[in-house]
Every structure is written in structure tokens, then in C-alpha cells.
């Protein structure tokens, strides 16, 4: 007789995989979210509210969609999207940034309902989308090592830990680098916690304002990066594990939840890829039909983190800037490498991809519109002039 699902031997792998998936998501990119919110001009209290809202949003969608589809659907924020925001929204009023969130998530809902996303991705070659993302991430990659000049012991120890961990414990490489960084920073007395005790974060409603230049320069690239680099891989991960997810429904529901919570700092809710894969292996449960329980449990952990957003924001604010920059850079090195490879592997699209990459990485602003938009536009123009078309 098959053992009951309620027995610890059957439940423990489900609980652990759900916990590890959430841990990987937060440890690998919470620093990037913090940088994006800080660049948007949010106060530490507002950042705590944003992190709380994101945890609640991802918890609701992970739990709800897993129960509904009976598939291991895990929600996540858009890490590439956060990286774009961190490098693109400096100087914009916070209301304009919230307007970008609202408009982008509304477009994601529309794209899910109408199939717009699939049509856009047929027009824009994969090489150009990858080149734009690589240009966005280049600054993070460079910032991984600039800390060596400021604090070689702290930055160097984190990089070395990450390199050694990548071989034997790749899933925990970022977490171990963070722990080593904290230990070194403690030894240097470089962590400065505020005197006041953290309180529960109360998300603050911020009235959105729609700035056309910001919507074109940041919103359009943010939409493309989020869909091409987060939602599309998330759907592909489910399909690669033998599931047939309702693509339009998942895109629409995650976008709808993010749209509702955008004025409170819930900038994105997407279908997870890397962290979701933790919940899809044979070690989670031999029966694929039961693995949805792991992502449902992850949803519960997400909800718990949603109530500790203020504490997380306080801890991130107390850490040295070198530690935050190094951690964010290490977390994105893999994505940067993959993006560069995809951008340049097709010789027919290499020139247009290189132009898109360099122009995006330049950080220029023309007519008030950011470099990511111009990088993509220039890449498409070069592609047309060279007579190369298609997905690449």
C-alpha cells in the first residue's frame, strides 16, 4: 500500500523544496529589488512596504495558481526588470515610476488575454531581446568588481566564496557569498543597524502619474524584458518538465495581481523559472501530479516573508554598499553570460545585436527616453537595413 501523503517522509521534501525555492529567490535578488526601489526615490519605510507587498503578491499567486492548475506554478518578481529599473529610473519622480508599474502590468494583462506577447516576440528577434538585457545587466557585472578598490577583503571574499561554491553547491552559491560577506562586514564593524526596532510594514498608496517619455524609455523595455526574460522562461520550465500550463491564463493572472498592487510598490509578479525548477524534480515527489504541493507551500512561505518586509529592508539598509553591489552583481552574472551568448550566437543577427547591446549599455538618454529603448530601436533598424529578419 502506498504511504500516506501526510507522513513526514512524504511531506518533508515538499516543504523543503518550497522553502529552498523562496530562499533562492530572495537571497539572489532582494538586493537588486532594494537598489531599484532606492533608485526610484523610495524611503526605507516605503521599501519595506514594497517588499511586503511583493511577498504577499507572490504568495497569493503561487498558492492560488498551484491549487487551481494542480501544477507546480511558482510566482516571482522580475529580476531582470528590477535590474532595468535600478539603472533607468534615477531622477524620475516616484509617481512617474509607479505610473510605469501600472502601465506595464496593464500591458502584460492585455498581452496575456489577446496573445499580443507571442506576436511581439515573433517580430523582435531573440538575439535583440537578449542583447538589450545584456546591455542592462553590464553595469551590474562591472559593479561586481569595483568594490575591490573600496574594500578588497569584503568584495574579494564574496567573489571567492561564489566561485568555490559554484562547483559543488551552485544553488546556494549566492547565499553562501552573502553569509561570508556579512561575517566579513561584522568583523570590520561595517554593519550599522538603526536604534529603532523594526515595525510591520504598511504599504503606502502612491498615486501613479503617466509620463510619456518615461513610459517609452523605461516602460516598453521593462515590459519586453519582463516577458522575454522572466515569463517566457517560466512557462518553458514548466513545459520542459512535462506540464502543459495555460499560458495566457498564467500571464493574465500574474499580471492582474501586479496591476492591482502596483500603486503599493508591487512592481511585478511573473511566472518563476530558476527557483521554480527546485520544485519540479523527482526528489520533490516521484509523482509529477503531486509536485504542485511544493509551490503551494512556497506560497505560504512567501506570505510569511510579506509580513517581514520592514525587517528585510532594515537589514539591507544596514549592510555596506559594497556588499550590496557585489551580491547583486554575482546574482546576475549567470544571466549576463547567457544573454551575451544568445545575443551573439547567430551570425546573421550579430551586427544588430552588438549595436543594441552597446547602445543599451551606454546609458544615454535622447529626447528624455532611456537607452534600453534606443538600443532595441537601433538593433531593429540595423536588422532591417541588413535584410535579416526572424526570431534569431
Amino acid at each position: 500500500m502506498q504511504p500516506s501523503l501526510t507522513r513526514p517522509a512524504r511531506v518533508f521534501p515538499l516543504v523543503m523544496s518550497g522553502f529552498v525555492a523562496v530562499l533562492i529567490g530572495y537571497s539572489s535578488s532582494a538586493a537588486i529589488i532594494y537598489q531599484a526601489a532606492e533608485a526610484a526615490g523610495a524611503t526605507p519605510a516605503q521599501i519595506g512596504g514594497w517588499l511586503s507587498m511583493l511577498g504577499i503578491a507572490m504568495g497569493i499567486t503561487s498558492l492560488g495558481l498551484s491549487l487551481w492548475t494542480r501544477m507546480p506554478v511558482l510566482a516571482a518578481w522580475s529580476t531582470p526588470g528590477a535590474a532595468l529599473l535600478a539603472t533607468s529610473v534615477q531622477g524620475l519622480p516616484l509617481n512617474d515610476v509607479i505610473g510605469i508599474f501600472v502601465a506595464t502590468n496593464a500591458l502584460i494583462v492585455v498581452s496575456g488575454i489577446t496573445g499580443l506577447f507571442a506576436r511581439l516576440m515573433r517580430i523582435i528577434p531573440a538575439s535583440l531581446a537578449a542583447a538589450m538585457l545584456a546591455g542592462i545587466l553590464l553595469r551590474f557585472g562591472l559593479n561586481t568588481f569595483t568594490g575591490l578598490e573600496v574594500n578588497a577583503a569584503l568584495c574579494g571574499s564574496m567573489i571567492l566564496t561564489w566561485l568555490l561554491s559554484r562547483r559543488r553547491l551552485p544553488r546556494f552559491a549566492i547565499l553562501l557569498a552573502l553569509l561570508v560577506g556579512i561575517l566579513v562586514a561584522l568583523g570590520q564593524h561595517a554593519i550599522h543597524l538603526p536604534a529603532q526596532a523594526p515595525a510591520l510594514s504598511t504599504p503606502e498608496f502612491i498615486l501613479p502619474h503617466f509620463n510619456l517619455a518615461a513610459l517609452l524609455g523605461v516602460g516598453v523595455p521593462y515590459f519586453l524584458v519582463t516577458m522575454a526574460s522572466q515569463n517566457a522562461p517560466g512557462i518553458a520550465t514548466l513545459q520542459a518538465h512535462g506540464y502543459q500550463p495555460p499560458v495566457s491564463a498564467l500571464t493574465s493572472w500574474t499580471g492582474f495581481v501586479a496591476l492591482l498592487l502596483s500603486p503599493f510598490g508591487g512592481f511585478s509578479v511573473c511566472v518563476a523559472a530558476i527557483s521554480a525548477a527546485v520544485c519540479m524534480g523527482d526528489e520533490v515527489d516521484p509523482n509529477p501530479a503531486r509536485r504542485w504541493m511544493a509551490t503551494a507551500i512556497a506560497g505560504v512561505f512567501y506570505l510569511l516573508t510579506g509580513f517581514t518586509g520592514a525587517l528585510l529592508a532594515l537589514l539591507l539598509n544596514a549592510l555596506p554598499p559594497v556588499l550590496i553591489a557585489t551580491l547583486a552583481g554575482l546574482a546576475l552574472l549567470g544571466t549576463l553570460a547567457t544573454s551575451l551568448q544568445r545575443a551573439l550566437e547567430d551570425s546573421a543577427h550579430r551586427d544588430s545585436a552588438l549595436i543594441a547591446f552597446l547602445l543599451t549599455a551606454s546609458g544615454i538618454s535622447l529626447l528624455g527616453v532611456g537607452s534600453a529603448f534606443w538600443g532595441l530601436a537601433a538593433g531593429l533598424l540595423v536588422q532591417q537595413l541588413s535584410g535579416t529578419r526572424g526570431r534569431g
Side-chain angles (χ1 to χ4, degrees):
M1 183 176 176
Q2 195 175 24
S4 172
L5 283 174
T6 59
R7 293 182 180 178
R10 299 291 297 277
V11 174
F12 184 73
L14 295 168
V15 174
M16 282 307 300
S17 60
F19 175 76
V20 170
V22 173
L23 182 64
I24 290 173
Y26 269 86
S27 64
S28 64
S29 56
I32 302 164
I33 305 300
Y34 179 85
Q35 287 185 321
E38 195 174 44
T43 65
Q46 287 173 327
I47 295 174
W50 288 24
L51 290 169
S52 290
M53 190 55 66
L54 287 167
I56 292 170
M58 293 186 297
I60 291 172
T61 48
S62 296
L63 183 58
L65 292 174
S66 295
L67 287 168
W68 174 53
T69 64
R70 289 298 196 267
M71 297 180 192
V73 179
L74 186 70
W77 50 49
S78 172
T79 300
L84 184 149
L85 293 172
T87 58
S88 304
V89 299
Q90 292 95 337
L92 288 177
L94 187 56
N95 302 83
D96 287 4
V97 176
I98 296 297
I100 292 170
F101 297 171
V102 172
T104 302
N105 288 317
L107 187 55
I108 289 173
V109 173
V110 171
S111 72
I113 294 172
T114 64
L116 173 65
F117 172 60
R119 290 194 289 273
L120 277 175
M121 288 298 101
R122 284 194 292 269
I123 296 171
I124 300 172
S127 57
L128 287 191
M132 182 179 67
L133 178 58
I136 292 165
L137 299 182
L138 179 62
R139 196 176 308 173
F140 286 90
L142 295 174
N143 287 342
T144 307
F145 305 97
T146 54
L148 290 169
E149 187 176 20
V150 179
N151 191 333
L154 177 58
C155 182
S157 63
M158 293 178 66
I159 294 171
L160 182 61
T161 300
W162 181 82
L163 288 171
L164 295 175
S165 303
R166 288 277 293 174
R167 183 158 191 160
R168 295 190 177 275
L169 296 168
R171 285 183 179 175
F172 300 97
I174 292 297
L175 178 60
L176 291 173
L178 171 61
L179 293 176
V180 168
I182 290 175
L183 289 175
V184 173
L186 283 172
Q188 296 176 338
H189 304 287
I191 297 178
H192 305 290
L193 292 170
Q196 73 273 17
L200 288 176
S201 299
T202 303
E204 175 186 341
F205 178 86
I206 301 171
L207 187 68
H209 178 262
F210 301 101
N211 180 318
L212 182 59
L215 293 177
L216 285 176
V218 182
V220 172
Y222 175 52
F223 165 75
L224 293 173
V225 163
T226 296
M227 296 298 283
S229 302
Q230 190 67 58
N231 275 330
I235 297 297
T237 300
L238 281 162
Q239 293 171 338
H241 285 82
Y243 298 97
Q244 297 299 321
V247 178
S248 293
L250 294 185
T251 304
S252 301
W253 276 113
T254 52
F256 179 69
V257 171
L259 175 61
L260 289 179
L261 303 182
S262 289
F264 300 93
F267 73 97
S268 79
V269 181
C270 305
V271 182
I274 296 173
S275 54
V278 176
C279 300
M280 297 183 191
D282 291 337
E283 67 278 4
V284 177
D285 195 294
N287 186 351
R290 296 195 187 104
R291 294 172 194 165
W292 64 269
M293 297 181 197
T295 51
I297 291 169
V300 175
F301 283 119
Y302 270 138
L303 289 172
L304 293 175
T305 64
F307 295 106
T308 59
L311 177 60
L312 183 57
L314 181 147
L315 292 175
L316 289 171
N317 191 52
L319 297 175
V322 169
L323 191 155
I324 295 293
T326 304
L327 184 69
L330 290 173
L332 291 170
L333 283 182
T335 307
L336 173 59
T338 302
S339 299
L340 283 172
Q341 180 183 1
R342 290 176 178 171
L344 302 175
E345 64 184 356
D346 187 345
S347 59
H349 295 88
R350 196 164 291 160
D351 287 346
S352 58
L354 184 61
I355 294 296
F357 166 69
L358 292 174
L359 191 50
T360 301
S362 70
I364 65 168
S365 177
L366 300 174
L367 304 176
V369 178
S371 62
F373 175 84
W374 295 116
L376 180 62
L380 287 170
L381 177 61
V382 171
Q383 177 184 289
Q384 291 297 317
L385 292 176
S386 63
T388 55
R389 296 184 181 182
R391 285 288 294 139

